[in-house]
Amino acid sequence: MLEFVLEISHYSLPVLGLAVLILCFIALIRRKRPPLGKTKLINTVNGDVFPLVSREASIGRHKNNDIVLNYPTVSRTHAVIVCSKNGWYITEIRSASEVLVNGNPVEKKAFLKTGDKITMGNITLIFDNKQG
């Protein structure tokens, strides 16, 4: 009897594992992502416009960031802005000066809406999430 159980599990477990993988893949394909629209950040210092073309963008002084703010008060990698299923949010990354949204410090993350003012160092960016 034990040999029979071992033989069944020998064939059934890989089939079960494959079924789980297929179901996970289908769930990933069917997942609806929120549209990016014409979302952008506008630098109030000089009017530069930074379109958000991907679902995640790093912001900082270093050239490897998606959005480069070359100001001494901005950290090398200051923050990350992310598009999630619940909307856009910003989170701070090990920076010397905090990130503020509408004058309030960002604790873990702060969800954004059109017109919000994001301050890093002495630089202010306006979040614009117009759809269409």
Side-chain angles (χ1 to χ4, degrees):
M1 181 68 174
L2 180 60
E3 293 173 3
F4 178 71
V5 171
L6 289 175
E7 183 133 345
I8 289 177
S9 66
H10 180 72
Y11 294 106
S12 62
L13 288 179
V15 171
L16 181 62
L18 183 61
V20 168
L21 283 174
I22 290 170
L23 290 173
C24 290
F25 183 71
I26 290 170
L28 281 173
I29 291 173
R30 296 179 73 186
R31 181 176 157 213
K32 300 231 187 281
R33 294 180 141 188
L36 290 175
K38 297 187 183 206
T39 306
K40 61 189 170 207
L41 295 175
I42 303 163
N43 185 341
T44 61
V45 173
N46 60 12
D48 284 348
V49 175
F50 304 100
L52 298 173
V53 295
S54 64
R55 298 195 176 280
E56 185 173 306
S58 60
I59 305 169
R61 191 178 70 239
H62 194 272
K63 65 181 178 179
N64 288 346
N65 289 296
D66 299 306
I67 298 171
V68 178
L69 299 174
N70 197 12
Y71 299 94
T73 57
V74 175
S75 296
R76 288 168 44 98
T77 302
H78 206 108
V80 174
I81 188 166
V82 177
C83 180
S84 72
K85 66 180 179 180
N86 298 323
W88 287 92
Y89 67 86
I90 191 163
T91 184
E92 184 176 349
I93 306 289
R94 300 172 304 208
S95 59
S97 62
E98 62 189 352
V99 175
L100 305 174
V101 174
N102 298 324
N104 300 313
V106 172
E107 299 263 336
K108 291 186 179 182
K109 61 183 173 182
F111 281 91
L112 301 168
K113 60 187 180 312
T114 296
D116 281 349
K117 294 179 181 176
I118 303 165
T119 305
M120 296 176 212
N122 60 355
I123 306 304
T124 299
L125 304 170
I126 305 292
F127 179 75
D128 185 1
N129 188 21
K130 297 229 168 66
Q131 299 297 317

